Every structure is written in structure tokens, then in C-alpha cells.
Amino acid sequence: MVPAAVVLAALFLARADAPVLEVREAFWGFDGKVVPGEFNPVSIRIANAGSVPFDGVLRLGQRLYGNTRIGAEILLPCYLSPGTERWIQFHPFVMEPDDPWILAWKGGNAEMPRPAPGPPGFVFLSEPDNPLALPRALRPFPANLFPTTVSATSGLRGVALDRVPRLDPAARLAFLDWFRGGGEVHLLKGDDGRHPAFPAEFAPLRDPRQAGAGRLFRHEQTRREATEKGLTGKEMRARPKDERGGREGDPFSSFFESLSRLVTPRHDWTLIYILAIAYLLLAGPAHFLLARRVRNYRLVLLAVFGTVGLFAFLFYLVGRRGYDEATTVHSVSYARSLAPGEWDAIQWKHVFVVKGDIYGIRHPGPHHLYAFPERIDSVPGAIRVGADSGIDVDIPLYSSRAFLHRGKMQGPDLGVRIVNWGKAASPEGLALETGPGFPAGSVEAWAFRGGAGGTLRREGNRLLAGDLSGKWNSPEEDDEYRYRGYNRHYGDEVPGPALTLHVANQCLGILKRRVAEIPELPGGPLFGLAAPVDSLHVLVWAEAPASFGLQSNGLGRERGFVLYHQIFRKPE
């Protein structure tokens, strides 16, 4: 028998040879707060206090009451040598900030600080190795922690700089994409009394023609004198409670429910009832009478088994395969222009399968973000991040899975340019020219500026101002209002192809109205967008291109619609 002392010593040595991970620091967002209903970064400083390297996977997930996991965990491979530490970053979709988030690894876990809700942040981009160059009133954010994808910058409204930030190539591209998509950069005077001079790698900050919807401001203050209100002229406040991305307050929560209608079987219940009554008559009275007339019990049993088998096959045809059910993917997307042919896309996707399996889903390019925001229980799957980002999810036979995706996508270059700016306060007299990449077929377009807007009519390769009644985004006129009376107005009489377009238009009504409310949003701009009220917003609704589709074996091509959004500044 092995002595107890030997067993304890062996256990002690085994534990001493294992990596010991510790979370030294963690904070949410850019200024310590999160924007509910958006993907938000959480930066974590983790250390290996053990004597052997840690080479494993870190898992971040949200918990509910009783330690029940919500949604799917986010997986991040990590290698950490003994006695070292490093910063890591996740970008989870935060719906309800009150529920705890847990970082787990093999042999341990740590609870993250509770995220506090707030508006998109305004920060000073600081250098981590220069603690003496910190501002007094502005919230500092280390430049080395800037996200590697523009899709994680919804919680960032503006940045103050007094020097050229040191960013790795992926972070620099994300920073410039954020700026071109509508970000604000405020330049302060440095220690030498001059504004920073940007090298060629920061071309959008050097050349206004490459700035897109971004805005660049120069100030006379230094980092010691600057305040957020002094630089921007306002202080943002948090969104009201009913707009915080919770199920009841999320204006997009109905998207998944609408998309699920497209794969709901449309059974012929009259035929099903007739078959059920016939089966009951044959299985009961008919076989009883047959047994009394035919003395050969083998024939009676054969008739019973034949009846059961025949009706099982008939119910199978009528209830499932007879209605052309097939694996399908439907989606609705909102795409904000970053550069010609480049879009920051948010996609609501619904997958229905006829074969149960673990499906690997991804999109072209690295650093895509995924979430299952409609799930209040655990999802049998995982979310991968980084260069090989995607999701692996178990979808049972004849069932569906809905998920949210956001990423930088390659798409068509619409080639829209301004021919005539029109009146200053409205799109009246507006004329736009489209390029060869503009979607063909059934396309709808709108424009708004300064609170006024209307439809654009297409004439050849031009878009001209049409109906400028100003009521185009009112609740009484848009599809969101009609969507609430769906059963009353449409019932179950809408055929398949028309239903697909109708459901897409329901989602369009919500998107269109929310985009038009950008200047008035009390919690900050929608999708992290920041653009002056006098900017021209052009919206184009069309079928989604193939490049916006997901990639997965066994799922095929998806059918979807996209709302393109481009922002134009008035020509100088």
C-alpha cells in the first residue's frame, strides 16, 4: 500500500509542474463601459505564475442563475510562458450587462468585472510605455489594445491624439476603417507645440478625399487641458432602458422571428385530418371486422402491419418531405460603406437543415464576430475568433439556428457620386450617378439629410430625388407598423417567393427608420455611426451579393437582402 505522504507529495509536485493562470486586470469597452446590443471589446491582462508553459484554449461565456451558460462560449487559443503575462481581447455581444461573464481554462476560471452600460466612448489614445504622457481629464485607452477589426468599434465615438499612434498593421487598418466609416479624430498639440504629422500609412488622416465619412478636428489645447465637452461640444448619455438591446427593447429582435417564418412548413391540414380519420377507422373497426371474417391470423397481422406502414409513409410525405423542405439559409444585412467595395456588415442569419450535424460556419476574411443573441439557454457549439474566426454549432434534424454576424466584407462598388447636391436643408434637387457595380434588378433607394428625406427614382445610371414628403420613415407608413398586423393583413395566404420578399421588407422598415433616427439617438449613433446632421445619407435596398454569404459544407447558397448605407459630405 502506498503511504499517504507519498501520494500527497506526488500531488503537490504535479500541481507545481502545472501552469497557474491569473487574471491581473480586466476592463470593458474603450472607456470602461459597454454599449448594450453591440459587440464590445473586453481587454484582459493574464499571467502565468506557474513553472511550465500554458498552451491551451481560453473560453469566455456568460452565465445565468445557477451558473447556467447562455449562448455559446468564445474560444481563444493562448500560449503563455512561465513567469510572463500578456493582454488578450475578446469581442462578445453584450445584451444584458447584469449577467456575469466567466473566463475559463483547463483547471481554473475567473469572473470578469460586471460591464456597466453607457454611450459610445470618447478616449485619448495613449502609449502604454509612457505613463507620463497621460491626459488629465480625458479617459486614456492604450493604443496597443485597439481592436483588430472595425466590427468591434461600435462602442467608440471619438479619439483624441497628440502624436502618431503606434498600431500593428491589423489594428491600424481597423482604426482607419473606423475613421472612414464615420469616426471622429481630434488632434491636440503635443509637447513640441505642434499637431502630429501622419505618415503615408495614415493616408485618410492626411487627405480629406480619402476620409470617407470621417471627421478630423484640430484644437489648440494639449492633453493636459483638453476635456471631452471642450473638444466635442457635448457629452453623451446612456440609452434609455427600453433601448438597451434587451429582448423587449431591441428594435431588431423581431428579425430572427421573421426569418424563421420562411422555413415554417405550410401543411395541408385538411388532408392530414382525413388521413388521421381513415387510419383510425382502418386500424380499429376495419381490422376487427376482418379478423371475424378471415380465420387466418397471419393475413390479419399482415393487414395490420401493412396499414401501419402505409399510413406512416403517407404521414411522412404529407408532413415533411412532400412540401419540398430543404436546407436553406436566409439573411438580412445592414452594410455601412468603408471604402469602394468594402463594407462593415451586420447580418441576421437563419439556417434550417434537414440533416442533423455539427456545422462549421465562417465568412471570407479574418476577424469576424458572431453571437446567438436570441438564446436564453446554452447553445451546443462554440465561437472561434482570430484569423480563422467562425462558429461550430450542432443543428439537429429538421431544426434551425439563428445567429448574428458582423464583419468587414468585400462587396460591390456602387460607384455612387454626387452630381447635384441640391438644397442645403433637404435632398430636394439631389442628383446622384451610379457606377457599373450598382445592383441590377429590383432596387429601392432613399436619401435623407437634415431630418428630411424621401425616395430616389432611378433613371438609367442616375438616382434623382423623388417623393420628399418627409413621411417615408414614419411608423404609420413603414413596414414595421404593418408587420405588427401581419396575421390580420396577410394571414397565411402569402405564397413562398412573395413571403420571402415580404419578410425582408418587414426588416427593411425597421432598419430604415432606425438609420433615419441617427442624429436623435440619445445613446449615441446606431451601429457606432457618427456623422454630422448635414451629411447626405444614401440607402440602397437590394438582394445581397454572393460575397456576403456564409461558407459551410452542406448549407449551400443563401438568399438574403442588404441595406447599403453610404454617407457623403458636402463638397468643398
Side-chain angles (χ1 to χ4, degrees):
M1 185 174 180
V2 181
V6 175
V7 176
L8 292 175
L11 291 174
F12 176 78
L13 292 175
R15 186 173 182 82
D17 289 337
V20 179
L21 295 189
E22 298 177 355
V23 174
R24 300 278 175 86
E25 184 180 357
F27 68 93
W28 288 89
F30 292 89
D31 60 350
K33 296 181 175 63
V34 299
V35 179
E38 301 282 0
F39 289 97
N40 292 269
V42 54
S43 305
I44 306 168
R45 183 163 61 94
I46 193 167
N48 183 0
S51 58
V52 297
F54 173 82
D55 188 5
V57 176
L58 302 175
R59 310 186 309 274
L60 180 69
Q62 197 172 19
R63 297 291 190 268
L64 199 57
Y65 311 105
N67 205 32
T68 302
R69 180 163 58 87
I70 307 174
E73 290 184 320
I74 307 174
L75 308 184
L76 177 65
C78 178
Y79 180 87
L80 201 57
S81 300
T84 61
E85 65 179 29
R86 58 174 290 195
W87 283 95
I88 60 172
Q89 194 173 82
F90 293 88
H91 309 110
F93 184 84
V94 179
M95 183 74 77
E96 295 292 344
D98 295 335
D99 297 323
W101 289 82
I102 305 295
L103 179 68
W105 57 89
K106 185 178 180 180
N109 63 75
E111 182 175 342
M112 297 294 97
R114 298 291 177 95
F122 184 92
V123 298
F124 178 86
L125 213 56
S126 62
E127 300 297 337
D129 56 354
N130 190 0
L132 299 179
L134 294 177
R136 290 180 179 173
L138 298 175
R139 174 76 182 229
F141 182 82
N144 63 312
L145 297 182
F146 199 89
T148 55
T149 171
V150 65
S151 301
T153 59
S154 292
L156 182 62
R157 179 172 62 94
V159 163
L161 297 169
D162 67 352
R163 66 192 66 199
V164 178
R166 288 184 293 174
L167 302 169
D168 62 53
R172 181 173 65 244
L173 179 59
F175 175 78
L176 295 178
D177 284 339
W178 164 80
F179 174 69
R180 290 181 298 180
E184 294 182 11
V185 173
H186 296 256
L187 300 183
L188 307 176
K189 287 190 173 181
D191 295 333
D192 58 359
R194 294 183 294 181
H195 293 109
F198 293 97
E201 293 82 3
F202 290 84
L205 297 176
R206 293 161 49 100
D207 185 358
R209 293 172 297 179
Q210 302 183 45
R215 292 181 290 171
L216 186 68
F217 302 91
R218 296 178 183 271
H219 302 275
E220 296 300 315
Q221 298 101 313
T222 65
R223 63 177 180 273
R224 300 179 184 86
E225 304 164 342
T227 63
E228 177 181 349
K229 189 172 183 180
L231 297 180
T232 65
K234 58 184 176 181
E235 290 183 352
M236 302 296 291
R237 55 188 178 88
R239 295 178 183 175
K241 189 173 183 179
D242 61 351
E243 291 186 8
R244 283 188 182 174
R247 184 175 177 83
E248 296 182 356
D250 182 5
F252 310 109
S253 61
S254 62
F255 281 18
F256 293 128
E257 180 182 352
S258 298
L259 293 174
S260 67
R261 273 200 191 92
L262 299 176
V263 294
T264 301
R266 305 178 67 83
H267 298 303
D268 188 344
W269 288 104
T270 302
L271 180 58
I272 292 176
Y273 290 143
I274 292 174
L275 288 175
I277 294 172
Y279 174 72
L280 291 175
L281 292 175
L282 289 176
H287 285 124
F288 174 75
L289 295 175
L290 180 65
R292 296 195 60 174
R293 294 193 176 193
V294 178
R295 298 300 180 182
N296 189 338
Y297 73 92
R298 293 182 178 86
L299 293 177
V300 175
L301 290 178
L302 182 62
V304 171
F305 292 141
T307 301
V308 172
L310 174 63
F311 276 87
F313 179 70
L314 292 176
F315 281 124
Y316 172 77
L317 289 179
V318 175
R320 286 185 174 177
R321 304 303 300 177
Y323 287 82
D324 295 325
E325 281 190 293
T327 296
T328 55
V329 181
H330 293 95
S331 65
V332 171
S333 305
Y334 165 85
R336 179 183 61 178
S337 177
L338 300 175
E342 296 182 354
W343 304 88
D344 178 16
I346 304 174
Q347 300 183 297
W348 295 262
K349 301 207 173 191
H350 185 273
V351 178
F352 175 83
V353 300
V354 297
K355 178 184 177 182
D357 202 349
I358 297 178
Y359 290 88
I361 298 174
R362 66 183 307 272
H363 290 80
H367 306 298
H368 291 269
L369 307 180
Y370 298 87
F372 299 90
E374 290 298 289
R375 304 292 296 185
I376 60 174
D377 55 358
S378 62
V379 172
I383 301 173
R384 306 186 309 274
V385 298
D388 189 33
S389 55
I391 54 177
D392 298 304
V393 61
D394 183 14
I395 309 179
L397 175 74
Y398 288 103
S399 65
S400 60
R401 188 75 69 193
F403 65 91
L404 181 67
H405 161 253
R406 182 167 185 176
K408 182 179 177 181
M409 310 288 288
Q410 301 297 317
D413 177 8
L414 304 186
V416 176
R417 68 180 187 89
I418 299 174
V419 177
N420 184 11
W421 184 260
K423 292 186 177 181
S426 77
E428 186 175 351
L430 175 70
L432 304 172
E433 190 173 81
T434 62
F438 196 83
S442 178
V443 175
E444 297 181 74
W446 304 266
F448 70 92
R449 177 176 65 230
T455 58
L456 297 174
R457 68 179 188 274
R458 189 173 183 179
E459 295 184 2
N461 67 335
R462 289 204 170 191
L463 297 174
L464 305 177
D467 178 17
L468 300 177
S469 63
K471 297 181 180 180
W472 67 286
N473 65 326
S474 65
E476 292 77 11
E477 299 294 331
D478 68 17
D479 286 293
E480 180 188 10
Y481 182 81
R482 292 196 294 271
Y483 160 70
R484 295 169 183 165
Y486 173 82
N487 292 326
R488 183 176 72 251
H489 293 297
Y490 299 96
D492 293 324
E493 300 176 359
V494 182
L499 180 63
T500 301
L501 183 59
H502 172 67
V503 167
N505 284 333
Q506 293 171 2
C507 300
L508 168 65
I510 300 174
L511 276 173
K512 195 172 66 172
R513 201 176 81 180
R514 292 288 293 176
V515 172
E517 290 173 354
I518 286 173
E520 291 82 32
L521 281 183
L526 186 64
F527 308 124
L529 181 66
V533 176
D534 59 353
S535 295
L536 175 67
H537 299 256
V538 176
L539 308 177
V540 177
W541 179 247
E543 286 203 42
S547 60
F548 275 29
L550 58 79
Q551 297 176 342
S552 179
N553 293 331
L555 292 183
R557 186 180 183 274
E558 70 182 68
R559 174 89 189 275
F561 293 83
V562 57
L563 181 66
Y564 297 107
H565 185 178
Q566 290 187 280
I567 305 172
F568 297 91
R569 297 189 302 177
K570 187 174 182 179
E572 300 294 337

